[in-house]
């Protein structure tokens, strides 16, 4: 911020002014980075330009709505003196400007009641815009609880908050170091001033907050992406939190307009994660917290329960024989305050009952759905002269790429293999391909965002997993009409038929080699079988069916 702006603004002279400004500037910079462009910001009231001038100085388009003519006149003089570009207008001129605000700023430290000011700017707020509201203890806003409930009543959901004027002696840094479970929220109750980041919500919609360990490219993460994208069609809004970090799908969530945040573990035991998730649940007050995968199941469910979330749901995505006794014990204990557990297949349900000791009455089976609009049909074309094989999955032991490579080394036919995915075994698998003498015929594609197109150009899909909860990659390949060879796993048998795909014993190298030779030698028959399965898979694995089933579970629990 330039010296002239610092001299002409009053933030540094107002109690808590610099803390408020720092909070807003950090949030706007984060939004600017996420959206990759300068923002349009609406500010209610000139207030000596304490917010408007620094934001305009950073290159954003700033529109200040000021009712008082004399104040507007002084504002124009100040703007001219600083040389920044911003607009100061009366409320009546907003309709002519017809802006689309990425962010709006309202300062209630002088006015007290901010409901009217928020109502003026809200119609011009972009679909995924945020509001930044500052307040202090006055006649109308007597406490943090009053301020918080006032925002909730006006249908603004608090996403983040900070104190600007504190009564307590401990600083927020001291409290974080103390690792108190209430350190993230309780200081707000003992402060004299606050600033919050909020977004509007529709009180007629329920709100489900989905917690995941990270936002990587796995099947569970893609399921949450599709689910969160379509739940609003069922009058259920969704937010997503990566409690241990982001990932490759972070951008995809944001592009679809899903409120998403990523946290970062600050200590080896995850206590900071527990605090952060507790804080989010306490501020946002979701109707439902829905956890996915073990890390989020453990820390997320505990934090949600501690913060008083009324409904906790968990989805079990996998049949994982590597789960330790400790993990299975945690699942069993946390099931007591989990209202419903979703199993992605009957096999997952049976394992949860038999090995984890989960009451069957708490489990609902909802098989995964896929977005058929993304599927690119392969059609009935014959195989290429050199058959193109493809496999999609993380390079982890579960996916057992080693068996596929060993089997291909025994196939005395022309072929090429494309491997889509990444993971810790890549170096080891590349070395294996080299030792087997097939490295020149294997293509390592890593992370790809054009998987549907890759499937449509392939001839055979190979899925050699040792275990699965269901396997979205197989469904996507089958929906495209691509001939499939898959491990003979019970969850896959729940959704695919032996007349449609070639099932092979998992880990059996000779059997896999024989199946690959057979499908290459009888390619016309394989293409015909795959094409016949497409209509049924499109009907059984349609995404709307899955979304509606999840929404029905939410609605059932909300009524109890």
């Amino acid at each position: 911020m330039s010296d002239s702006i610092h001299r002409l603004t009053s933030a540094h002279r107002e109690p808590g002014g610099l803390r408020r400004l720092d909070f807003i500037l950090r949030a706007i910079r984060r939004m600017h980075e996420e959206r990759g462009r300068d923002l349009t910001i609406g500010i209610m009231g000139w207030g000596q330009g304490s917010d408007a001038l620094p934001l305009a100085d950073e290159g954003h388009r700033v529109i200040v709505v000021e009712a008082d003519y004399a104040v507007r006149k002084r504002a124009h003089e100040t703007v001219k003196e600083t040389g920044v570009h911003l607009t100061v207008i009366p409320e009546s001129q907003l309709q002519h400007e017809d802006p689309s605000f990425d962010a709006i700023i309202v300062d209630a430290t002088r006015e007290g009641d901010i409901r009217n000011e928020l109502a003026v700017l809200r119609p011009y707020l972009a679909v995924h815009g945020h509001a930044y509201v500052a307040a202090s203890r006055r006649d109308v806003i007597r406490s943090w609880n009053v301020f918080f409930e006032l925002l909730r009543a006006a249908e603004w959901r608090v996403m983040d908050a900070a104190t600007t004027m504190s009564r307590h002696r401990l600083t927020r840094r001291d409290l974080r170091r103390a690792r108190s479970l209430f350190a993230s929220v309780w200081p707000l109750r003992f402060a004299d001033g606050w600033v919050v980041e909020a977004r509007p919500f529709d009180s007629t919609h329920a709100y489900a907050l989905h917690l995941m360990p990270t936002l990587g490219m796995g099947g569970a993460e893609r399921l949450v992406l599709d689910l969160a994208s379509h739940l609003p069609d069922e009058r259920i809004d969704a937010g997503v939190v990566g409690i241990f970090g982001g990932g490759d799908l972070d951008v995809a969530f944001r592009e679809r307009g899903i409120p998403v945040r990523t946290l970062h573990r600050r200590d080896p035991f995850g206590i900071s994660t527990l605090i952060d998730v507790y804080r989010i649940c306490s501020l946002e007050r979701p109707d439902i917290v829905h956890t996915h995968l073990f890390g989020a199941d453990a820390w997320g469910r505990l934090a949600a329960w501690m913060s008083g979330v009324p409904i906790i749901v968990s989805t079990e995505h996998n049949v994982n024989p590597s789960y330790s006794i400790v993990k299975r014990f945690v699942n069993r204990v946390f099931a007591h305050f989990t209202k419903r557990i979703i199993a992605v297949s009957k096999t997952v349900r049976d394992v949860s009952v038999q090995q984890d000791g989960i009451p069957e009455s708490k489990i609902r089976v909802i098989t995964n759905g896929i977005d058929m609009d993304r599927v690119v049909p392969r059609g009935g074309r014959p195989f290429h002269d050199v058959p193109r094989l493809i496999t999609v999955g993380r390079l982890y032991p579960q996916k057992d790429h080693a068996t596929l490579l060993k089997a291909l080394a025994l196939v005395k036919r022309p072929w090429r293999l494309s491997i889509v995915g990444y993971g810790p075994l890549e170096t080891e698998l590349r070395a294996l391909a080299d030792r087997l003498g097939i490295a020149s015929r294997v293509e390592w594609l890593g992370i790809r965002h054009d998987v549907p197109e890759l499937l449509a150009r392939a001839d055979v899909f190979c899925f050699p997993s040792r275990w699965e909860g269901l396997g979205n990659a197989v469904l996507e390949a089958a929906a495209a009409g691509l001939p499939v060879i898959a491990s003979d796993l019970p969850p896959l048998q729940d959704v695919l038929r032996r007349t449609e795909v070639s099932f092979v014993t998992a880990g059996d190298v000779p059997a896999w080699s024989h199946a690959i030779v057979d499908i290459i030698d009888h390619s016309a028959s394989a293409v015909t079988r795959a094409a016949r399965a497409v209509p049924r898979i499109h009907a059984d694995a349609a995404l709307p069916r899955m979304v509606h089933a999840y929404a029905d579970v939410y609605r059932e629990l909300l009524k109890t």
Side-chain angles (χ1 to χ4, degrees):
M1 186 163 61
S2 65
D3 291 339
S4 62
I5 291 177
H6 187 271
R7 176 174 56 83
L8 292 168
T9 60
S10 60
H12 56 292
R13 292 188 290 270
E14 298 170 352
L18 286 179
R19 289 187 182 182
R20 182 200 72 233
L21 180 60
D22 179 67
F23 181 93
I24 292 172
L25 286 176
R26 287 176 182 271
I28 293 295
R29 286 166 183 163
R30 184 174 64 247
M31 188 186 301
H32 174 261
E33 182 179 341
E34 290 172 357
R35 303 191 181 184
R37 58 174 174 80
D38 291 332
L39 309 177
T40 300
I41 301 169
I43 301 179
M44 198 67 187
W46 174 245
Q48 303 301 317
S50 296
D51 300 318
L53 289 171
L55 289 168
D57 189 51
E58 294 201 349
H60 303 296
R61 182 193 178 202
V62 177
I63 298 176
V64 178
V65 179
E66 174 55 62
D68 192 297
Y69 172 77
V71 174
R72 289 202 305 273
K73 185 176 180 180
R74 291 197 301 271
H76 287 303
E77 293 172 354
T78 302
V79 169
K80 185 176 181 180
E81 184 175 347
T82 58
V84 300
H85 298 283
L86 62 84
T87 306
V88 184
I89 61 173
E91 180 182 332
S92 59
Q93 198 174 326
L94 263 175
Q95 294 181 355
H96 300 290
E97 293 282 340
D98 194 24
S100 178
F101 293 130
D102 297 291
I104 59 177
I105 299 172
V106 172
D107 188 350
T109 58
R110 288 172 294 275
E111 300 298 330
D113 192 343
I114 44 83
R115 285 174 292 190
N116 292 335
E117 294 183 325
L118 283 168
V120 169
L121 295 180
R122 182 167 179 164
Y124 304 98
L125 186 65
V127 175
H128 305 297
H130 294 173
Y132 300 91
V133 187
S136 62
R137 290 181 185 265
R138 292 178 61 85
D139 293 338
V140 176
I141 300 175
R142 299 182 303 277
S143 67
W144 163 253
N145 285 341
V146 170
F147 181 38
F148 183 86
E149 294 300 337
L150 185 150
L151 289 168
R152 295 278 300 183
E155 297 192 349
W156 290 90
R157 178 168 285 116
V158 177
M159 302 172 64
D160 197 7
T163 60
T164 56
M165 293 177 281
S166 298
R167 286 183 176 184
H168 54 76
R169 293 182 179 180
L170 288 176
T171 66
R172 289 180 61 77
R173 180 179 297 178
D174 293 331
L175 288 164
R176 278 197 291 266
R177 286 174 178 169
R179 293 287 186 247
S180 166
L181 293 180
F182 302 103
S184 297
V185 177
W186 272 47
L188 298 170
R189 303 178 186 275
F190 301 113
D192 288 320
W194 316 269
V195 58
V196 304
E197 181 178 22
R199 55 186 169 86
F201 71 93
D202 185 341
S203 59
T204 65
H205 287 204
Y207 177 49
L209 183 63
H210 291 260
L211 306 180
M212 308 201 67
T214 63
L215 306 179
M217 292 288 287
E221 292 85 351
R222 285 198 169 276
L223 181 146
V224 174
L225 174 63
D226 288 334
L227 183 59
S229 300
H230 292 85
L231 275 173
D233 297 336
E234 300 278 351
R235 302 183 69 81
I236 299 170
D237 295 328
V240 175
V241 179
I243 68 172
F244 296 133
D248 298 291
L249 284 181
D250 198 317
V251 174
F253 278 100
R254 299 185 194 281
E255 287 177 345
R256 297 196 190 185
I258 301 167
V260 60
R261 275 165 296 170
T262 55
L263 308 176
H264 299 282
R265 183 185 293 186
R266 301 188 300 273
D267 64 89
F269 301 104
I271 302 301
S272 62
T273 299
L274 182 66
I275 295 171
D276 289 340
V277 178
Y278 170 85
R279 173 183 174 81
I280 289 172
C281 293
S282 297
L283 291 177
E284 292 201 9
R285 289 191 184 175
D287 301 296
I288 301 161
V289 161
H290 192 148
T291 65
H292 306 262
L293 305 177
F294 182 76
D297 282 342
W299 295 119
R301 283 193 284 185
L302 180 58
W305 174 74
M306 290 172 55
S307 62
V309 173
I311 298 171
I312 300 173
V313 177
S314 175
T315 293
E316 185 58 62
H317 293 268
N318 218 329
V319 177
N320 196 337
S322 67
Y323 269 4
S324 65
I325 294 177
V326 173
K327 287 185 177 181
R328 296 204 179 278
F329 175 76
V330 168
N331 282 344
R332 183 176 303 182
V333 171
F334 283 12
H336 288 291
F337 52 82
T338 305
K339 295 288 187 180
R340 188 74 73 240
I341 294 172
I342 309 297
V344 300
S345 68
K346 296 176 183 177
T347 302
V348 171
R349 177 198 60 193
D350 295 342
V351 169
S352 296
V353 172
Q354 296 164 11
Q355 296 188 19
D356 292 350
I358 309 298
E360 189 171 352
S361 59
K362 279 201 171 188
I363 302 176
R364 179 74 55 83
V365 176
I366 301 177
T367 55
N368 295 349
I370 58 176
D371 187 354
M372 296 301 174
D373 291 337
R374 293 183 66 248
V375 173
V376 179
R378 180 187 182 276
R381 62 167 176 78
F383 282 15
H384 292 87
D385 291 338
V386 177
R388 299 179 183 179
L389 283 62
I390 188 171
T391 185
V392 179
R394 296 171 298 163
L395 306 184
Y396 278 71
Q398 172 192 354
K399 302 301 182 180
D400 198 16
H401 292 82
T403 288
L404 178 59
L405 293 174
K406 292 174 184 177
L408 284 168
L410 301 177
V411 175
K412 307 306 179 184
R413 303 284 193 283
W415 57 264
R416 289 194 64 81
L417 172 67
S418 295
I419 297 178
V420 179
Y422 73 103
L425 295 184
E426 181 170 346
T427 301
E428 180 181 326
L429 291 171
R430 282 178 177 268
L432 174 62
D434 191 54
R435 291 197 305 272
L436 293 171
I438 60 174
S440 62
R441 293 196 277 174
V442 178
E443 185 179 22
W444 305 84
L445 298 182
I447 298 172
R448 295 292 291 258
H449 298 282
D450 60 343
V451 172
E453 289 76 13
L454 293 174
L455 294 176
R457 293 196 295 267
D459 296 317
V460 181
F461 183 83
C462 300
F463 198 69
S465 287
R466 293 276 183 169
W467 69 86
E468 286 289 338
L470 183 58
N472 278 14
V474 177
L475 289 177
E476 291 173 359
L482 181 61
V484 172
I485 306 174
S487 293
D488 194 2
L489 304 177
L492 299 183
Q493 295 176 39
D494 290 342
V495 294
L496 299 171
R497 299 172 181 171
R498 292 187 179 275
T499 56
E500 300 167 347
V501 305
S502 298
F503 283 119
V504 185
T505 303
D508 189 333
V509 173
W512 268 90
S513 177
H514 176 77
I516 294 168
V517 170
D518 184 67
I519 207 166
I520 291 174
D521 288 349
H522 302 90
S523 60
S525 173
V527 170
T528 300
R529 284 194 299 152
R532 287 174 181 168
V534 169
R536 185 190 65 79
I537 293 169
H538 275 246
D540 293 350
L543 182 61
R545 174 203 57 79
M546 182 195 78
V547 174
H548 186 70
Y550 272 91
D552 277 348
V553 170
Y554 293 163
R555 284 189 283 260
E556 173 190 322
L557 296 174
L558 288 166
K559 290 178 182 178
T560 59

